[in-house]
Amino acid sequence: KTWQVAEAAAAARPLLGDAGCVVTTQNGVEAPQQAADVLGAGRVLGGVAKVLAYIAEPGVVSMKAQPAFFHFGEAFAADGSPLAGDAAAAAARSARAERLAGALAHCQGVTSGIPQNGTWPMLWEKAVLMCSFGPVAALCRAPLDKVCGIPETRALLRAAMLEVASCAARARHLEKDKGPEE
């Protein structure tokens, strides 16, 4: 969980070789910076893991076989600042990210790789979903298909998604020439 990132990064430090790094996969957008604060920005890749999991019965969590993916890339520039703007997508593709993608390319049941639009837009895309779908569905006490099927709750969901997207825009982590509406 995100509140454990600093502790986990500190525990991982002795396990990292000279060129080693960690890949954060927590929901939200804070984890790469939290890990970088402990390990240094040059030791951190930002990542997103997506699986469809559900509670099959009390105490049992099951996962659907597909879709499952793990995408990751550089989150920071050489000076330690978060990658942003036009160069962010190209900068996400580092030699070490390419090596990791190559190592994971043969894993069965999961698609892995480097995001096309950059690491931060990928993290924000998941945040838009995670910070709106769950809370709005819980507030409405309805599954997502019902929320989307009623104009008023669909409007509420859209407003929540746009609010998170506006945070991404403020952080300069949206694709060039795109605003929160896109």
Side-chain angles (χ1 to χ4, degrees):
K1 296 292 182 184
T2 300
W3 60 271
Q4 299 167 307
V5 170
E7 182 181 343
R13 183 189 320 247
L15 304 173
L16 296 175
D18 292 341
C21 66
V22 298
V23 181
T24 60
T25 59
Q26 292 73 16
N27 291 336
V29 296
E30 300 92 357
Q33 186 62 58
Q34 291 172 337
D37 289 345
V38 174
L39 298 171
R43 301 285 225 149
V44 177
L45 297 176
V48 166
K50 288 186 185 177
V51 297
L52 293 176
Y54 58 95
I55 298 173
E57 60 184 78
V60 178
V61 176
S62 294
M63 184 178 90
K64 293 195 174 205
Q66 296 294 324
F69 79 78
F70 176 45
H71 289 181
F72 46 84
E74 296 293 342
F76 301 99
D79 67 0
S81 63
L83 291 170
D86 297 342
R93 301 191 80 82
S94 66
R96 70 177 171 179
E98 294 285 356
R99 283 192 306 274
L100 180 57
L104 296 174
H106 303 290
C107 293
Q108 294 182 355
V110 65
T111 301
S112 63
I114 301 168
Q116 295 296 318
N117 298 324
T119 303
W120 291 103
M122 170 191 67
L123 295 172
W124 279 101
E125 179 183 310
K126 186 170 183 186
V128 165
L129 300 176
M130 298 301 295
C131 296
S132 54
F133 285 179
V136 171
L139 177 68
C140 297
R141 300 186 69 161
L144 194 55
D145 64 321
K146 301 293 185 209
V147 169
C148 292
I150 300 169
E152 294 84 1
T153 54
R154 185 174 55 248
L156 177 64
L157 177 60
R158 182 177 186 275
M161 294 172 80
L162 287 172
E163 180 68 22
V164 179
S166 70
C167 294
R170 177 81 191 239
R172 296 182 45 231
H173 291 148
L174 289 180
E175 291 180 57
K176 182 181 176 189
D177 300 329
K178 285 196 175 181
E181 294 270 345
E182 299 173 79

